[in-house]
Amino acid sequence: MNRFLQHTGAKYPIVQAPMGWIARAQLASAVCNAGGLGIIETSSGETENCMAEIAKMSDLTDAPFGVNLPIMFLKDPAILDHICGSGVKFVTTSAGSPAKFIGPLKEVGITVYHAVPTVDAAMKCVEAGIDGLVVEGAEGGGFKNPEEVSTLVLLQAIRRQSDIPMVAAGGIADGKGMAAAFALGAEAVQMGTRFVSSAESPVHRNYKQAILDAKETGTYVLNKKATPCIRALKTERTAKIYEDGLMPPDTFKGILDVYFGGDMEAAVGLAGQSSGLIDEIKTAKQIIDETVAEFFRITERMSALNAAKSF
């Protein structure tokens, strides 16, 4: 059986990425009810609000869900204690070493996957006893490794070193991407930009429309010589940052005005290259149903090629 499904109890091996402020109960429950695995974010740093969102999930879905812990941004240890006592069974960690978190989480029966951008990071996690990996290629939106490695290469490189369960993330928005990821050794896929632009996503219509309007070249990788390095939509603001090479200190100050106010120049609108594959707002159920159906159409065709031993 698919190990990711064993670990999570989800119906389908499709994960919604834990975008700050966005990945809360409204979106996560819609993904869960459609058969995927919704993830609640904590990267916003709003500990009490995130705890409330975790509690709200039980009123909105009977399906399993997960929580993300971005280690670098965890300023309040209360969120870890809360998760350990919340009944949550699946946690993804990111942005730092998960070593000191694995023990406390696994002691209470929580399965832990860590997000990695390189083979070296992956192998350190394997040695630390992680249950699985979220393999984040450079195509994805949000915080990135400045040394860009594509999902296509990273999945293969990690699989050469380990048989650990992998969730492929970055550049995936449909069944084609899912089938490609599985061919390279993944047992699940994570989609962020695709779900940000879904009907249940809480973000402003302008943000969704910017994703729909973007081409495959519609994002920049910014701040590659400093921290954090990010991938964001092309706007006048991000074009200036790209030309300057460094992000000013106030880059994220107006992020809520982008997400929920619709002012695309107030800050940077995080998004992946998969925005070039998205041209319609769909419900979480439509996204998941269509992804699964397309995945099986492709794998059926590949099986037929194998049976015929012909290209």
Side-chain angles (χ1 to χ4, degrees):
M1 183 179 177
N2 180 296
R3 290 176 292 177
F4 172 82
L5 296 181
Q6 285 182 315
H7 281 156
T8 63
K11 182 178 181 182
Y12 300 126
I14 298 173
V15 186
Q16 158 250 305
M19 297 81 64
W21 287 279
I22 299 170
R24 296 192 172 181
Q26 177 178 317
L27 177 57
S29 64
V31 171
C32 290
N33 288 332
L37 189 78
I39 305 286
I40 298 292
E41 64 87 16
T42 63
S43 58
S44 61
E46 298 179 349
T47 302
E48 291 187 6
N49 287 340
C50 292
M51 289 180 178
E53 293 297 311
I54 293 169
K56 195 183 297 183
M57 288 292 286
S58 62
D59 295 327
L60 298 175
T61 184
D62 294 325
F65 67 95
V67 177
N68 172 255
L69 291 174
I71 296 161
M72 184 184 300
F73 305 111
L74 286 182
K75 298 178 181 178
D76 188 347
I79 191 69
L80 176 63
D81 296 336
H82 179 78
I83 290 170
C84 287
S86 67
V88 170
K89 297 300 182 184
F90 183 78
V91 162
T92 60
T93 52
S94 57
S97 170
K100 67 179 182 180
F101 290 83
I102 293 173
L105 291 166
K106 294 183 75 168
E107 281 177 11
V108 294
I110 296 175
T111 298
V112 189
Y113 280 40
H114 187 70
V116 296
T118 65
V119 174
D120 287 345
M123 298 318 297
K124 288 178 182 178
C125 291
V126 171
E127 292 168 6
I130 206 78
D131 295 303
L133 300 172
V134 179
V135 177
E136 292 193 331
E139 301 96 322
F143 296 88
K144 296 287 102 186
N145 181 357
E147 295 184 292
E148 301 173 55
V149 183
S150 73
T151 306
L152 177 71
V153 170
L154 194 55
L155 286 170
Q156 295 180 78
I158 293 174
R159 182 53 79 229
R160 286 183 176 185
Q161 301 292 324
S162 174
D163 188 44
I164 194 165
M166 298 190 300
V167 179
I172 300 168
D174 53 28
K176 297 183 185 72
M178 184 176 178
F182 271 56
L184 299 175
E187 292 178 56
V189 295
Q190 177 174 284
M191 297 191 287
T193 306
R194 174 66 275 194
F195 284 122
V196 169
S197 57
S198 69
E200 293 89 351
S201 170
V203 304
H204 195 278
R205 172 71 195 214
N206 290 355
Y207 189 12
K208 297 181 186 182
Q209 190 61 49
I211 292 172
L212 269 57
D213 292 342
K215 299 178 181 179
E216 77 283 359
T217 56
T219 60
Y220 287 121
V221 176
L222 304 173
N223 214 41
K224 293 186 69 171
K225 295 183 179 181
T227 301
C229 175
I230 63 169
R231 184 181 291 280
L233 289 166
K234 288 184 175 180
T235 63
E236 291 182 12
R237 186 185 185 102
T238 57
K240 186 176 189 310
I241 295 172
Y242 183 77
E243 291 168 5
D244 293 345
L246 292 173
M247 293 195 300
D250 65 349
T251 295
F252 291 97
K253 185 177 180 180
I255 194 69
L256 298 185
D257 293 324
V258 174
Y259 289 168
F260 308 115
D263 182 356
M264 296 305 297
E265 298 294 342
V268 291
L270 305 179
Q273 288 181 325
S274 63
S275 54
L277 302 174
I278 300 167
D279 54 16
E280 184 180 353
I281 294 173
K282 298 180 180 180
T283 66
K285 180 172 173 50
Q286 284 178 297
I287 292 168
I288 291 175
D289 285 351
E290 290 175 9
T291 297
V292 170
E294 186 175 45
F295 172 85
F296 283 118
R297 284 197 301 271
I298 292 169
T299 54
E300 182 179 21
R301 181 171 64 84
M302 299 304 287
S303 295
L305 289 174
N306 179 61
K309 293 294 187 288
S310 171
F311 294 101

